[in-house]
Amino acid sequence: MELSQAIETLARSDSLVYVIAGVIAIVAIVFTTTGKVLRVHAGERTKREIAAYIAEGSMTPEQGERLLKAGKKYS
């Protein structure tokens, strides 16, 4: 069966609604997962930057701790 025949058969059948719903569900899952990964990555980058500021002495450990605690309110 060629691709055009498969698409034509699918378009004429009742299962088209289920296929579209499945595609929408997969796209939603991919976008949600990507968003979560990006948020976690940004949080880890922030922790590394705060640790670097503490290590170079431009920030005290207490200031860094306060910054990290303040960020938890919004995550």
Side-chain angles (χ1 to χ4, degrees), residues 19-47:
V19 171
I20 292 173
V23 169
I24 290 172
I26 290 171
V27 169
I29 290 169
V30 167
F31 278 115
T32 302
T33 304
T34 303
K36 288 180 182 179
V37 167
L38 291 175
R39 278 192 299 278
V40 168
H41 182 68
E44 292 300 321
R45 185 176 15 174
T46 300
K47 288 177 187 177

Side-chain angles (χ1 to χ4, degrees), residues 6-75:
I7 292 172
E8 185 177 328
T9 303
L10 183 62
R12 292 181 183 190
S13 70
D14 293 334
S15 63
L16 181 62
V17 173
Y18 297 116
V19 171
I20 292 173
V23 169
I24 290 172
I26 290 171
V27 169
I29 290 169
V30 167
F31 278 115
T32 302
T33 304
T34 303
K36 288 180 182 179
V37 167
L38 291 175
R39 278 192 299 278
V40 168
H41 182 68
E44 292 300 321
R45 185 176 15 174
T46 300
K47 288 177 187 177
R48 285 192 302 269
E49 289 176 358
I50 290 173
Y53 285 127
I54 292 170
E56 73 181 10
S58 61
M59 180 185 295
T60 66
E62 292 79 20
Q63 290 171 329
E65 185 178 359
R66 279 198 309 259
L67 281 173
L68 290 175
K69 284 183 180 178
K72 289 182 182 178
K73 293 178 186 176
Y74 302 106
S75 56

